[in-house]
Amino acid sequence: MDFIRYLDPTVQFMLFSAVKIVLVFAVAMTGVAYAVLVERKVSAWIQDRVGPNRAAPFFVHYLPVVGPFLTKLGIFQPMADGLKFILKEDFTPSYVRKIYFWIAPAISCVPALMTLAVIPFGSTLGNANNPMVIADLNVGILYTFGIVSLGVYGIVLAGYASNSKYPFLGGIRSSAQMISYEIAMGMSVVSVFLVVGDLNLSKVVAYQSGGIHEWLIFKQPLAFFIFLVSAFAETNRLPFDLPESETELVGGYHTEYSSMKFALFFLGEYAAMIGASAMMVTLFLGGWTPIWGGAPASSLLVGLSHIVWFLAKLGFFMVLFIWVRWMLPRFRYDQLMNLGWRRFIPLALVNIIITAGLIALTHK
Amino acid sequence: MSTKVVDRTPLTFYERSYLPAILSGLKVTARHFLRSAKGHNTATDLSQGYYPEVPWTVAEGYRGAPYLVRDQEGHTKCVSCQLCEFICPPKAIKITPPGPEGIPSDRANAEKMPREFEINMLRCIFCGMCQEVCPEEAIFLQKDYSLTGTSREEMIYNKEKLLSLGGTHAGIQKWKHKLESAQHQEVFPVKTH
Ligand code: SF4
Ligand code: SF4
């Protein structure tokens, strides 16, 4: 690996970034596939069903104990699912608005993946000048909010392009939903940044690196709660999956989609879940820092352990997302608006004022 | 006025915060999750295994596929009255009556029995109407729930097949008793074959 050292710093930076992008993308995609599996298995267990326990490629047959066990857990199911999506007929109904119909899935999927770019998912790996974040932006959180909101356009556009009533209603609901939670979400993080004093997500993590008592979830519980609930709304997860509503809208905005285009929506939803979980881990649970705290890693092994810590915390939120889905009934349209406008926005404002007041009093 | 106005106590602040509902929801789902994670579910509780390998143990009173039954002496109970054919909601039953010169019933005193009796199992919805309506207790919903075949024709069960699958039903033998009492009272003519 010596030749890297002789390269020009810009080339080095590009090389490292490319590697990180590929890695994060691969991990996120695998994460999406297995989040779907976890979702299916958890939902099955909560509802006293069995869940996927059959799919197995031929070689599993030759593994004595491990093979049947993995098959029972459905470990091979995501591969079968992916294959199915690829092989299915991609059907475009004749009455849709073709161009919008085609770009909507991409618009809903790409932003969800792009938010991962600013998340510090680890400290360093060996080289101190090479932090484990794709883009160490100084306006990290603003970037995230800006990009994430774009995902809604994909849904609205899908609703409009499908030219049929259920997707249309789904699209309308999605836009109504967005204006109800987005403001509360934005306001809830203001108090976080009042405490930290920086918009850069790496600095937020550094602020919390002292250990579990430094985590912002304990310093800003109200902000965390509002952010958590808004994250459910943003990722269209139950109890706020109004745009999708299988029971009333037959799948809502993606009713008319099939095959890979549907898979993109699906992927977008789970990628958004991963993104939102990563945001919450970074903002409130101390990012990659272990619970006893820790400085950026000096050795490769510690660096890897930090990434594992990050993934573990991320997994916690993913399970929470999935668990809540099978627990709460869907909120009604007006209840969501009520919750967003009349409860969370005032609460977030009060939180900002109190936080600002306390900081003004204690700061000399 | 028969209307009764029920006073609803307004929800407390705590209840309106959704928190109690969320907490009890977490409790219920966690209980079910842990139970399933330990390997318990309806399939394992009832049959100690999963369906294709371990067929489900059917509960008493289960309404599966309808079959024709024979009486204790091995006679066809059906008298070809066609009530089941008329009531069957999806029109799964098709009966060919014997006609004026058709085969007589294989038991004493009953006038007829069907020349052919077909149930299309692809149409049958296991509703039990035929069993309910039959005046002869000749057709019963039995425990078969998984019927398969490789063609549509194969799924149309004829009289022979239905009778062999149905077995014997030790129910009342209406016509036998009628015959006995008629003979006892020496009231004739009663068809004895
Ligand atoms: S069970 Fe119902 S559907 Fe089936 S043959 Fe009898 S009446 Fe018809
Ligand atoms: S099965 Fe019963 S109802 Fe149907 S034709 Fe025979 S006797 Fe009548």
Side-chain angles (χ1 to χ4, degrees), chain B residues 68 77-85 95 117 130 133-136 138-139:
Chain B
L68 291 176
K77 291 186 88 176
C78 176
V79 294
S80 186
C81 72
Q82 293 179 289
L83 284 175
C84 52
E85 184 175 10
I95 297 170
F117 191 113
C130 47
V133 81
C134 179
E136 298 292 327
I139 188 164

Side-chain angles (χ1 to χ4, degrees), chain A residues 189-204:
Chain A
V189 288
V190 169
S191 48
V192 169
F193 292 113
L194 279 178
V195 174
V196 177
D198 205 307
L199 284 180
N200 187 325
L201 290 174
S202 302
K203 299 273 165 51
V204 177

Side-chain angles (χ1 to χ4, degrees), chain B residues 63-66 83-85 87-93 117-121 123-133 139-141:
Chain B
R63 302 193 306 195
L83 284 175
C84 52
E85 184 175 10
I87 202 160
C88 179
K91 299 199 193 318
I93 300 179
F117 191 113
E118 289 171 340
I119 300 182
N120 186 343
M121 291 300 179
R123 301 197 73 133
C124 178
I125 55 175
F126 299 0
C127 67
M129 293 283 204
C130 47
Q131 171 180 342
E132 203 72 23
V133 81
I139 188 164
F140 281 91
L141 265 63

